[in-house]
Amino acid sequence: MKALIGVLATIVVTGCATITPEAQKVQVHEQVSTLVDDCVKLGPVSVTVNGLTKLSPDDVYLQAKNDIRHLAWERYRADTVVLLNKDMSLYSRNTTIQGMAMNCYST
């Protein structure tokens, strides 16, 4: 029984905060700053993660950030995302984040 619980806990932990190799290259800025002044705005991105199956609100937020990085890459081939708004519900553990996909380093 203890072995089964250990295996399930490992699956749950490794299932959290997944990210694709392409999305790993997308930088995230938590706020608009002078670092993105010369970047090209590509378009808005928004994701919602239902955290009822996750371990903690932090895990849910991390997964939402990973998802928005992936979406920015998939939709625009962006190399940067600036987060503009986040809504975290502690009761339901849902997290919605909105941002702007940008190219800052591509030529």
Side-chain angles (χ1 to χ4, degrees), residues 45-80:
V45 285
S46 177
V47 297
T48 299
V49 173
N50 179 333
L52 289 178
T53 61
K54 303 294 182 190
L55 295 177
S56 72
D58 290 338
D59 290 335
V60 177
Y61 181 62
L62 180 58
Q63 185 63 57
K65 281 179 34 178
N66 289 343
D67 287 355
I68 206 166
R69 290 166 72 186
H70 180 75
L71 182 62
W73 170 255
E74 282 292 313
R75 187 175 289 168
Y76 301 108
R77 295 299 191 246
D79 58 29
T80 304

PDB file of all heavy atoms in Angstrom, residues 45-80:
ATOM      1  N   VAL A  45      -2.460  37.087 -25.510  1.00  0.00           N
ATOM      2  CA  VAL A  45      -2.583  35.671 -25.164  1.00  0.00           C
ATOM      3  C   VAL A  45      -3.224  35.575 -23.785  1.00  0.00           C
ATOM      4  O   VAL A  45      -3.030  36.449 -22.937  1.00  0.00           O
ATOM      5  CB  VAL A  45      -1.220  34.937 -25.168  1.00  0.00           C
ATOM      6  CG1 VAL A  45      -0.742  34.676 -26.580  1.00  0.00           C
ATOM      7  CG2 VAL A  45      -0.166  35.702 -24.405  1.00  0.00           C
ATOM      8  N   SER A  46      -4.028  34.537 -23.589  1.00  0.00           N
ATOM      9  CA  SER A  46      -4.723  34.350 -22.317  1.00  0.00           C
ATOM     10  C   SER A  46      -4.936  32.861 -22.083  1.00  0.00           C
ATOM     11  O   SER A  46      -5.274  32.129 -23.012  1.00  0.00           O
ATOM     12  CB  SER A  46      -6.077  35.063 -22.352  1.00  0.00           C
ATOM     13  OG  SER A  46      -6.789  34.847 -21.162  1.00  0.00           O
ATOM     14  N   VAL A  47      -4.721  32.428 -20.842  1.00  0.00           N
ATOM     15  CA  VAL A  47      -4.943  31.030 -20.486  1.00  0.00           C
ATOM     16  C   VAL A  47      -5.628  30.960 -19.124  1.00  0.00           C
ATOM     17  O   VAL A  47      -5.495  31.853 -18.299  1.00  0.00           O
ATOM     18  CB  VAL A  47      -3.633  30.210 -20.440  1.00  0.00           C
ATOM     19  CG1 VAL A  47      -2.968  30.154 -21.796  1.00  0.00           C
ATOM     20  CG2 VAL A  47      -2.687  30.729 -19.388  1.00  0.00           C
ATOM     21  N   THR A  48      -6.354  29.861 -18.928  1.00  0.00           N
ATOM     22  CA  THR A  48      -6.959  29.554 -17.635  1.00  0.00           C
ATOM     23  C   THR A  48      -6.597  28.119 -17.289  1.00  0.00           C
ATOM     24  O   THR A  48      -6.711  27.225 -18.123  1.00  0.00           O
ATOM     25  CB  THR A  48      -8.485  29.705 -17.674  1.00  0.00           C
ATOM     26  OG1 THR A  48      -8.810  31.060 -17.994  1.00  0.00           O
ATOM     27  CG2 THR A  48      -9.116  29.343 -16.338  1.00  0.00           C
ATOM     28  N   VAL A  49      -6.154  27.922 -16.059  1.00  0.00           N
ATOM     29  CA  VAL A  49      -5.816  26.585 -15.577  1.00  0.00           C
ATOM     30  C   VAL A  49      -6.717  26.269 -14.399  1.00  0.00           C
ATOM     31  O   VAL A  49      -6.821  27.049 -13.459  1.00  0.00           O
ATOM     32  CB  VAL A  49      -4.328  26.497 -15.156  1.00  0.00           C
ATOM     33  CG1 VAL A  49      -4.032  25.159 -14.506  1.00  0.00           C
ATOM     34  CG2 VAL A  49      -3.428  26.718 -16.362  1.00  0.00           C
ATOM     35  N   ASN A  50      -7.379  25.121 -14.479  1.00  0.00           N
ATOM     36  CA  ASN A  50      -8.212  24.631 -13.382  1.00  0.00           C
ATOM     37  C   ASN A  50      -7.311  23.874 -12.433  1.00  0.00           C
ATOM     38  O   ASN A  50      -6.754  22.850 -12.794  1.00  0.00           O
ATOM     39  CB  ASN A  50      -9.324  23.736 -13.917  1.00  0.00           C
ATOM     40  CG  ASN A  50     -10.203  23.191 -12.821  1.00  0.00           C
ATOM     41  OD1 ASN A  50      -9.783  23.036 -11.676  1.00  0.00           O
ATOM     42  ND2 ASN A  50     -11.427  22.894 -13.176  1.00  0.00           N
ATOM     43  N   GLY A  51      -7.178  24.372 -11.220  1.00  0.00           N
ATOM     44  CA  GLY A  51      -6.231  23.800 -10.291  1.00  0.00           C
ATOM     45  C   GLY A  51      -6.783  22.815  -9.297  1.00  0.00           C
ATOM     46  O   GLY A  51      -6.117  22.477  -8.330  1.00  0.00           O
ATOM     47  N   LEU A  52      -7.993  22.325  -9.497  1.00  0.00           N
ATOM     48  CA  LEU A  52      -8.564  21.406  -8.512  1.00  0.00           C
ATOM     49  C   LEU A  52      -7.746  20.128  -8.373  1.00  0.00           C
ATOM     50  O   LEU A  52      -7.749  19.509  -7.324  1.00  0.00           O
ATOM     51  CB  LEU A  52     -10.012  21.083  -8.874  1.00  0.00           C
ATOM     52  CG  LEU A  52     -10.997  22.242  -8.677  1.00  0.00           C
ATOM     53  CD1 LEU A  52     -12.393  21.826  -9.124  1.00  0.00           C
ATOM     54  CD2 LEU A  52     -11.025  22.709  -7.236  1.00  0.00           C
ATOM     55  N   THR A  53      -7.029  19.752  -9.428  1.00  0.00           N
ATOM     56  CA  THR A  53      -6.241  18.519  -9.354  1.00  0.00           C
ATOM     57  C   THR A  53      -4.780  18.783  -9.027  1.00  0.00           C
ATOM     58  O   THR A  53      -3.994  17.859  -8.952  1.00  0.00           O
ATOM     59  CB  THR A  53      -6.318  17.768 -10.694  1.00  0.00           C
ATOM     60  OG1 THR A  53      -5.772  18.613 -11.718  1.00  0.00           O
ATOM     61  CG2 THR A  53      -7.733  17.386 -11.038  1.00  0.00           C
ATOM     62  N   LYS A  54      -4.416  20.028  -8.847  1.00  0.00           N
ATOM     63  CA  LYS A  54      -3.013  20.372  -8.586  1.00  0.00           C
ATOM     64  C   LYS A  54      -2.744  20.370  -7.089  1.00  0.00           C
ATOM     65  O   LYS A  54      -3.634  20.379  -6.259  1.00  0.00           O
ATOM     66  CB  LYS A  54      -2.686  21.756  -9.162  1.00  0.00           C
ATOM     67  CG  LYS A  54      -2.950  21.870 -10.642  1.00  0.00           C
ATOM     68  CD  LYS A  54      -2.023  20.994 -11.439  1.00  0.00           C
ATOM     69  CE  LYS A  54      -2.297  21.184 -12.918  1.00  0.00           C
ATOM     70  NZ  LYS A  54      -1.641  20.256 -13.744  1.00  0.00           N
ATOM     71  N   LEU A  55      -1.464  20.402  -6.742  1.00  0.00           N
ATOM     72  CA  LEU A  55      -1.077  20.328  -5.340  1.00  0.00           C
ATOM     73  C   LEU A  55      -1.254  21.635  -4.585  1.00  0.00           C
ATOM     74  O   LEU A  55      -1.624  21.634  -3.431  1.00  0.00           O
ATOM     75  CB  LEU A  55       0.386  19.882  -5.238  1.00  0.00           C
ATOM     76  CG  LEU A  55       0.690  18.489  -5.734  1.00  0.00           C
ATOM     77  CD1 LEU A  55       2.180  18.202  -5.642  1.00  0.00           C
ATOM     78  CD2 LEU A  55      -0.087  17.456  -4.926  1.00  0.00           C
ATOM     79  N   SER A  56      -0.992  22.758  -5.223  1.00  0.00           N
ATOM     80  CA  SER A  56      -1.043  24.035  -4.512  1.00  0.00           C
ATOM     81  C   SER A  56      -1.358  25.155  -5.493  1.00  0.00           C
ATOM     82  O   SER A  56      -1.198  24.995  -6.708  1.00  0.00           O
ATOM     83  CB  SER A  56       0.295  24.318  -3.833  1.00  0.00           C
ATOM     84  OG  SER A  56       1.269  24.653  -4.807  1.00  0.00           O
ATOM     85  N   PRO A  57      -1.771  26.325  -4.986  1.00  0.00           N
ATOM     86  CA  PRO A  57      -1.979  27.479  -5.865  1.00  0.00           C
ATOM     87  C   PRO A  57      -0.703  27.875  -6.619  1.00  0.00           C
ATOM     88  O   PRO A  57      -0.773  28.331  -7.746  1.00  0.00           O
ATOM     89  CB  PRO A  57      -2.431  28.579  -4.906  1.00  0.00           C
ATOM     90  CG  PRO A  57      -3.045  27.849  -3.759  1.00  0.00           C
ATOM     91  CD  PRO A  57      -2.227  26.588  -3.618  1.00  0.00           C
ATOM     92  N   ASP A  58       0.452  27.681  -5.996  1.00  0.00           N
ATOM     93  CA  ASP A  58       1.710  27.996  -6.677  1.00  0.00           C
ATOM     94  C   ASP A  58       1.921  27.095  -7.892  1.00  0.00           C
ATOM     95  O   ASP A  58       2.394  27.549  -8.934  1.00  0.00           O
ATOM     96  CB  ASP A  58       2.893  27.855  -5.718  1.00  0.00           C
ATOM     97  CG  ASP A  58       2.924  28.938  -4.657  1.00  0.00           C
ATOM     98  OD1 ASP A  58       2.311  30.013  -4.871  1.00  0.00           O
ATOM     99  OD2 ASP A  58       3.545  28.707  -3.610  1.00  0.00           O
ATOM    100  N   ASP A  59       1.571  25.817  -7.752  1.00  0.00           N
ATOM    101  CA  ASP A  59       1.682  24.891  -8.881  1.00  0.00           C
ATOM    102  C   ASP A  59       0.753  25.301 -10.014  1.00  0.00           C
ATOM    103  O   ASP A  59       1.110  25.217 -11.190  1.00  0.00           O
ATOM    104  CB  ASP A  59       1.341  23.463  -8.461  1.00  0.00           C
ATOM    105  CG  ASP A  59       2.386  22.843  -7.560  1.00  0.00           C
ATOM    106  OD1 ASP A  59       3.557  23.260  -7.621  1.00  0.00           O
ATOM    107  OD2 ASP A  59       2.020  21.939  -6.774  1.00  0.00           O
ATOM    108  N   VAL A  60      -0.444  25.744  -9.662  1.00  0.00           N
ATOM    109  CA  VAL A  60      -1.418  26.164 -10.670  1.00  0.00           C
ATOM    110  C   VAL A  60      -0.899  27.391 -11.410  1.00  0.00           C
ATOM    111  O   VAL A  60      -0.969  27.472 -12.636  1.00  0.00           O
ATOM    112  CB  VAL A  60      -2.791  26.443 -10.018  1.00  0.00           C
ATOM    113  CG1 VAL A  60      -3.779  26.954 -11.054  1.00  0.00           C
ATOM    114  CG2 VAL A  60      -3.319  25.184  -9.354  1.00  0.00           C
ATOM    115  N   TYR A  61      -0.357  28.363 -10.675  1.00  0.00           N
ATOM    116  CA  TYR A  61       0.179  29.572 -11.296  1.00  0.00           C
ATOM    117  C   TYR A  61       1.362  29.234 -12.202  1.00  0.00           C
ATOM    118  O   TYR A  61       1.463  29.745 -13.320  1.00  0.00           O
ATOM    119  CB  TYR A  61       0.582  30.590 -10.230  1.00  0.00           C
ATOM    120  CG  TYR A  61       1.128  31.867 -10.806  1.00  0.00           C
ATOM    121  CD1 TYR A  61       0.341  32.687 -11.618  1.00  0.00           C
ATOM    122  CD2 TYR A  61       2.430  32.253 -10.568  1.00  0.00           C
ATOM    123  CE1 TYR A  61       0.842  33.851 -12.161  1.00  0.00           C
ATOM    124  CE2 TYR A  61       2.943  33.422 -11.109  1.00  0.00           C
ATOM    125  CZ  TYR A  61       2.142  34.213 -11.899  1.00  0.00           C
ATOM    126  OH  TYR A  61       2.647  35.369 -12.440  1.00  0.00           O
ATOM    127  N   LEU A  62       2.234  28.359 -11.754  1.00  0.00           N
ATOM    128  CA  LEU A  62       3.370  27.953 -12.577  1.00  0.00           C
ATOM    129  C   LEU A  62       2.897  27.275 -13.856  1.00  0.00           C
ATOM    130  O   LEU A  62       3.422  27.540 -14.943  1.00  0.00           O
ATOM    131  CB  LEU A  62       4.289  27.021 -11.791  1.00  0.00           C
ATOM    132  CG  LEU A  62       5.529  26.521 -12.526  1.00  0.00           C
ATOM    133  CD1 LEU A  62       6.405  27.671 -12.999  1.00  0.00           C
ATOM    134  CD2 LEU A  62       6.317  25.580 -11.637  1.00  0.00           C
ATOM    135  N   GLN A  63       1.879  26.426 -13.766  1.00  0.00           N
ATOM    136  CA  GLN A  63       1.352  25.778 -14.965  1.00  0.00           C
ATOM    137  C   GLN A  63       0.730  26.811 -15.900  1.00  0.00           C
ATOM    138  O   GLN A  63       0.893  26.734 -17.118  1.00  0.00           O
ATOM    139  CB  GLN A  63       0.328  24.703 -14.612  1.00  0.00           C
ATOM    140  CG  GLN A  63      -0.172  23.919 -15.815  1.00  0.00           C
ATOM    141  CD  GLN A  63       0.940  23.144 -16.498  1.00  0.00           C
ATOM    142  OE1 GLN A  63       1.604  22.336 -15.870  1.00  0.00           O
ATOM    143  NE2 GLN A  63       1.152  23.386 -17.784  1.00  0.00           N
ATOM    144  N   ALA A  64       0.023  27.808 -15.358  1.00  0.00           N
ATOM    145  CA  ALA A  64      -0.568  28.857 -16.192  1.00  0.00           C
ATOM    146  C   ALA A  64       0.527  29.639 -16.923  1.00  0.00           C
ATOM    147  O   ALA A  64       0.387  29.957 -18.108  1.00  0.00           O
ATOM    148  CB  ALA A  64      -1.434  29.780 -15.341  1.00  0.00           C
ATOM    149  N   LYS A  65       1.616  29.961 -16.228  1.00  0.00           N
ATOM    150  CA  LYS A  65       2.727  30.654 -16.884  1.00  0.00           C
ATOM    151  C   LYS A  65       3.333  29.789 -17.983  1.00  0.00           C
ATOM    152  O   LYS A  65       3.649  30.288 -19.065  1.00  0.00           O
ATOM    153  CB  LYS A  65       3.802  31.040 -15.858  1.00  0.00           C
ATOM    154  CG  LYS A  65       3.442  32.260 -15.065  1.00  0.00           C
ATOM    155  CD  LYS A  65       4.457  32.691 -14.023  1.00  0.00           C
ATOM    156  CE  LYS A  65       5.884  32.492 -14.320  1.00  0.00           C
ATOM    157  NZ  LYS A  65       6.779  32.992 -13.271  1.00  0.00           N
ATOM    158  N   ASN A  66       3.480  28.519 -17.736  1.00  0.00           N
ATOM    159  CA  ASN A  66       4.005  27.622 -18.766  1.00  0.00           C
ATOM    160  C   ASN A  66       3.051  27.532 -19.952  1.00  0.00           C
ATOM    161  O   ASN A  66       3.478  27.522 -21.109  1.00  0.00           O
ATOM    162  CB  ASN A  66       4.278  26.241 -18.186  1.00  0.00           C
ATOM    163  CG  ASN A  66       5.464  26.225 -17.255  1.00  0.00           C
ATOM    164  OD1 ASN A  66       6.283  27.144 -17.250  1.00  0.00           O
ATOM    165  ND2 ASN A  66       5.570  25.184 -16.446  1.00  0.00           N
ATOM    166  N   ASP A  67       1.751  27.480 -19.666  1.00  0.00           N
ATOM    167  CA  ASP A  67       0.759  27.404 -20.744  1.00  0.00           C
ATOM    168  C   ASP A  67       0.753  28.664 -21.599  1.00  0.00           C
ATOM    169  O   ASP A  67       0.623  28.597 -22.822  1.00  0.00           O
ATOM    170  CB  ASP A  67      -0.634  27.159 -20.170  1.00  0.00           C
ATOM    171  CG  ASP A  67      -0.826  25.747 -19.647  1.00  0.00           C
ATOM    172  OD1 ASP A  67       0.082  24.907 -19.803  1.00  0.00           O
ATOM    173  OD2 ASP A  67      -1.895  25.489 -19.049  1.00  0.00           O
ATOM    174  N   ILE A  68       0.908  29.838 -20.969  1.00  0.00           N
ATOM    175  CA  ILE A  68       0.894  31.079 -21.750  1.00  0.00           C
ATOM    176  C   ILE A  68       2.168  31.196 -22.591  1.00  0.00           C
ATOM    177  O   ILE A  68       2.142  31.719 -23.696  1.00  0.00           O
ATOM    178  CB  ILE A  68       0.647  32.321 -20.863  1.00  0.00           C
ATOM    179  CG1 ILE A  68       0.021  33.437 -21.700  1.00  0.00           C
ATOM    180  CG2 ILE A  68       1.912  32.797 -20.173  1.00  0.00           C
ATOM    181  CD1 ILE A  68      -0.579  34.567 -20.902  1.00  0.00           C
ATOM    182  N   ARG A  69       3.269  30.683 -22.082  1.00  0.00           N
ATOM    183  CA  ARG A  69       4.503  30.640 -22.874  1.00  0.00           C
ATOM    184  C   ARG A  69       4.309  29.753 -24.105  1.00  0.00           C
ATOM    185  O   ARG A  69       4.700  30.123 -25.217  1.00  0.00           O
ATOM    186  CB  ARG A  69       5.663  30.098 -22.026  1.00  0.00           C
ATOM    187  CG  ARG A  69       6.108  31.047 -20.935  1.00  0.00           C
ATOM    188  CD  ARG A  69       6.995  30.386 -19.924  1.00  0.00           C
ATOM    189  NE  ARG A  69       8.324  30.104 -20.456  1.00  0.00           N
ATOM    190  CZ  ARG A  69       9.247  29.428 -19.804  1.00  0.00           C
ATOM    191  NH1 ARG A  69       8.997  28.929 -18.599  1.00  0.00           N
ATOM    192  NH2 ARG A  69      10.430  29.224 -20.343  1.00  0.00           N
ATOM    193  N   HIS A  70       3.693  28.606 -23.889  1.00  0.00           N
ATOM    194  CA  HIS A  70       3.439  27.690 -25.000  1.00  0.00           C
ATOM    195  C   HIS A  70       2.493  28.323 -26.026  1.00  0.00           C
ATOM    196  O   HIS A  70       2.723  28.251 -27.237  1.00  0.00           O
ATOM    197  CB  HIS A  70       2.861  26.373 -24.485  1.00  0.00           C
ATOM    198  CG  HIS A  70       2.571  25.400 -25.567  1.00  0.00           C
ATOM    199  ND1 HIS A  70       3.556  24.691 -26.224  1.00  0.00           N
ATOM    200  CD2 HIS A  70       1.398  25.031 -26.152  1.00  0.00           C
ATOM    201  CE1 HIS A  70       3.001  23.929 -27.154  1.00  0.00           C
ATOM    202  NE2 HIS A  70       1.694  24.119 -27.130  1.00  0.00           N
ATOM    203  N   LEU A  71       1.429  28.954 -25.549  1.00  0.00           N
ATOM    204  CA  LEU A  71       0.466  29.590 -26.452  1.00  0.00           C
ATOM    205  C   LEU A  71       1.122  30.708 -27.258  1.00  0.00           C
ATOM    206  O   LEU A  71       0.873  30.838 -28.464  1.00  0.00           O
ATOM    207  CB  LEU A  71      -0.719  30.134 -25.647  1.00  0.00           C
ATOM    208  CG  LEU A  71      -1.824  30.793 -26.451  1.00  0.00           C
ATOM    209  CD1 LEU A  71      -2.464  29.802 -27.424  1.00  0.00           C
ATOM    210  CD2 LEU A  71      -2.876  31.376 -25.518  1.00  0.00           C
ATOM    211  N   ALA A  72       1.959  31.512 -26.616  1.00  0.00           N
ATOM    212  CA  ALA A  72       2.652  32.599 -27.324  1.00  0.00           C
ATOM    213  C   ALA A  72       3.549  32.036 -28.425  1.00  0.00           C
ATOM    214  O   ALA A  72       3.630  32.589 -29.524  1.00  0.00           O
ATOM    215  CB  ALA A  72       3.467  33.434 -26.341  1.00  0.00           C
ATOM    216  N   TRP A  73       4.204  30.923 -28.137  1.00  0.00           N
ATOM    217  CA  TRP A  73       5.052  30.285 -29.147  1.00  0.00           C
ATOM    218  C   TRP A  73       4.209  29.697 -30.275  1.00  0.00           C
ATOM    219  O   TRP A  73       4.489  29.905 -31.449  1.00  0.00           O
ATOM    220  CB  TRP A  73       5.920  29.204 -28.511  1.00  0.00           C
ATOM    221  CG  TRP A  73       6.611  28.372 -29.539  1.00  0.00           C
ATOM    222  CD1 TRP A  73       6.296  27.105 -29.914  1.00  0.00           C
ATOM    223  CD2 TRP A  73       7.707  28.766 -30.362  1.00  0.00           C
ATOM    224  NE1 TRP A  73       7.140  26.675 -30.904  1.00  0.00           N
ATOM    225  CE2 TRP A  73       8.017  27.685 -31.210  1.00  0.00           C
ATOM    226  CE3 TRP A  73       8.460  29.935 -30.464  1.00  0.00           C
ATOM    227  CZ2 TRP A  73       9.042  27.743 -32.137  1.00  0.00           C
ATOM    228  CZ3 TRP A  73       9.488  29.980 -31.399  1.00  0.00           C
ATOM    229  CH2 TRP A  73       9.763  28.891 -32.216  1.00  0.00           C
ATOM    230  N   GLU A  74       3.172  28.962 -29.922  1.00  0.00           N
ATOM    231  CA  GLU A  74       2.337  28.303 -30.927  1.00  0.00           C
ATOM    232  C   GLU A  74       1.623  29.313 -31.829  1.00  0.00           C
ATOM    233  O   GLU A  74       1.577  29.135 -33.039  1.00  0.00           O
ATOM    234  CB  GLU A  74       1.295  27.407 -30.250  1.00  0.00           C
ATOM    235  CG  GLU A  74       1.846  26.104 -29.759  1.00  0.00           C
ATOM    236  CD  GLU A  74       2.255  25.172 -30.883  1.00  0.00           C
ATOM    237  OE1 GLU A  74       1.487  24.995 -31.847  1.00  0.00           O
ATOM    238  OE2 GLU A  74       3.378  24.637 -30.801  1.00  0.00           O
ATOM    239  N   ARG A  75       1.063  30.342 -31.237  1.00  0.00           N
ATOM    240  CA  ARG A  75       0.238  31.288 -32.001  1.00  0.00           C
ATOM    241  C   ARG A  75       1.081  32.283 -32.787  1.00  0.00           C
ATOM    242  O   ARG A  75       0.753  32.616 -33.928  1.00  0.00           O
ATOM    243  CB  ARG A  75      -0.694  32.036 -31.054  1.00  0.00           C
ATOM    244  CG  ARG A  75      -1.691  32.919 -31.796  1.00  0.00           C
ATOM    245  CD  ARG A  75      -2.679  33.554 -30.856  1.00  0.00           C
ATOM    246  NE  ARG A  75      -3.584  32.533 -30.355  1.00  0.00           N
ATOM    247  CZ  ARG A  75      -4.419  32.724 -29.333  1.00  0.00           C
ATOM    248  NH1 ARG A  75      -4.442  33.884 -28.713  1.00  0.00           N
ATOM    249  NH2 ARG A  75      -5.210  31.757 -28.934  1.00  0.00           N
ATOM    250  N   TYR A  76       2.165  32.791 -32.188  1.00  0.00           N
ATOM    251  CA  TYR A  76       2.910  33.891 -32.792  1.00  0.00           C
ATOM    252  C   TYR A  76       4.392  33.607 -33.037  1.00  0.00           C
ATOM    253  O   TYR A  76       5.080  34.455 -33.583  1.00  0.00           O
ATOM    254  CB  TYR A  76       2.825  35.134 -31.893  1.00  0.00           C
ATOM    255  CG  TYR A  76       1.427  35.619 -31.652  1.00  0.00           C
ATOM    256  CD1 TYR A  76       0.819  35.459 -30.413  1.00  0.00           C
ATOM    257  CD2 TYR A  76       0.704  36.267 -32.655  1.00  0.00           C
ATOM    258  CE1 TYR A  76      -0.462  35.921 -30.173  1.00  0.00           C
ATOM    259  CE2 TYR A  76      -0.579  36.737 -32.433  1.00  0.00           C
ATOM    260  CZ  TYR A  76      -1.160  36.560 -31.189  1.00  0.00           C
ATOM    261  OH  TYR A  76      -2.423  37.019 -30.952  1.00  0.00           O
ATOM    262  N   ARG A  77       4.899  32.478 -32.562  1.00  0.00           N
ATOM    263  CA  ARG A  77       6.339  32.207 -32.565  1.00  0.00           C
ATOM    264  C   ARG A  77       7.075  33.296 -31.783  1.00  0.00           C
ATOM    265  O   ARG A  77       8.157  33.741 -32.143  1.00  0.00           O
ATOM    266  CB  ARG A  77       6.901  32.080 -33.980  1.00  0.00           C
ATOM    267  CG  ARG A  77       6.374  30.893 -34.772  1.00  0.00           C
ATOM    268  CD  ARG A  77       6.742  29.590 -34.064  1.00  0.00           C
ATOM    269  NE  ARG A  77       6.488  28.422 -34.892  1.00  0.00           N
ATOM    270  CZ  ARG A  77       5.563  27.496 -34.606  1.00  0.00           C
ATOM    271  NH1 ARG A  77       4.811  27.618 -33.545  1.00  0.00           N
ATOM    272  NH2 ARG A  77       5.407  26.450 -35.379  1.00  0.00           N
ATOM    273  N   ALA A  78       6.466  33.709 -30.683  1.00  0.00           N
ATOM    274  CA  ALA A  78       7.017  34.764 -29.829  1.00  0.00           C
ATOM    275  C   ALA A  78       8.191  34.236 -29.023  1.00  0.00           C
ATOM    276  O   ALA A  78       8.269  33.050 -28.726  1.00  0.00           O
ATOM    277  CB  ALA A  78       5.935  35.280 -28.881  1.00  0.00           C
ATOM    278  N   ASP A  79       9.091  35.141 -28.654  1.00  0.00           N
ATOM    279  CA  ASP A  79      10.195  34.766 -27.774  1.00  0.00           C
ATOM    280  C   ASP A  79      10.041  35.353 -26.373  1.00  0.00           C
ATOM    281  O   ASP A  79      10.831  35.073 -25.485  1.00  0.00           O
ATOM    282  CB  ASP A  79      11.550  35.141 -28.381  1.00  0.00           C
ATOM    283  CG  ASP A  79      11.683  36.622 -28.686  1.00  0.00           C
ATOM    284  OD1 ASP A  79      11.062  37.456 -28.009  1.00  0.00           O
ATOM    285  OD2 ASP A  79      12.437  36.955 -29.627  1.00  0.00           O
ATOM    286  N   THR A  80       8.998  36.165 -26.185  1.00  0.00           N
ATOM    287  CA  THR A  80       8.781  36.836 -24.904  1.00  0.00           C
ATOM    288  C   THR A  80       7.284  36.988 -24.666  1.00  0.00           C
ATOM    289  O   THR A  80       6.518  37.195 -25.608  1.00  0.00           O
ATOM    290  CB  THR A  80       9.431  38.240 -24.907  1.00  0.00           C
ATOM    291  OG1 THR A  80      10.819  38.095 -25.221  1.00  0.00           O
ATOM    292  CG2 THR A  80       9.280  38.949 -23.581  1.00  0.00           C
TER     293      THR A  80
END
